[in-house]
Amino acid sequence: MYCITFLDGRQGHPIKNGTSDSWYWNFAPVFNMDDAGKVTSVTNFYGQGTNANGRSARLDPTGVNKFTINDDGSKTLEVKYIMVQAGGVDRTFFTEKWTYKGER
């Protein structure tokens, strides 16, 4: 997951820094799911600690961590994960809910 439109062509994970747009460079979570839609793990697209910032990702087991297709046909991904900085330090905690609205 990364948002190239929000970041004016720069690849990374978008965040807000106060009211300003910003992003985490060298970080884009990849969610791995089982056949039931349970998120089983998350990794960093740019490498697990092997990128220039030493960033990796790990799943927070306290989250819903599930992809769901609802009775009305809508689809949601609820996930809680952590961006880990070089040296194994938990840097940022994310709690996200993604709702599928249609094809791009």
Side-chain angles (χ1 to χ4, degrees):
M1 182 280 306
Y2 66 86
C3 181
I4 201 164
T5 304
F6 176 81
L7 301 171
D8 297 322
R10 295 177 295 265
Q11 296 180 4
H13 191 294
I15 60 170
K16 286 286 189 184
N17 183 5
T19 58
S20 299
D21 294 340
S22 190
W23 71 97
Y24 285 119
W25 186 255
N26 286 324
F27 187 72
V30 176
F31 303 110
N32 304 294
M33 294 171 240
D34 64 16
D35 290 340
K38 179 182 174 186
V39 180
T40 57
S41 66
V42 59
T43 58
N44 183 2
F45 173 81
Y46 295 100
Q48 285 289 91
T50 58
N51 54 72
N53 296 91
R55 293 182 173 146
S56 61
R58 70 178 172 87
L59 193 64
D60 183 336
T62 67
V64 173
N65 301 329
K66 179 102 174 137
F67 175 77
T68 305
I69 300 175
N70 303 302
D71 291 339
D72 64 0
S74 64
K75 301 169 185 158
T76 57
L77 172 64
E78 292 182 76
V79 65
K80 195 170 183 180
Y81 60 101
I82 302 161
M83 182 184 78
V84 181
Q85 194 71 12
V89 177
D90 292 346
R91 169 79 186 265
T92 305
F93 294 76
F94 297 94
T95 302
E96 297 176 338
K97 182 176 182 177
W98 294 78
T99 303
Y100 176 79
K101 294 188 177 185
E103 292 184 31
R104 295 183 199 176

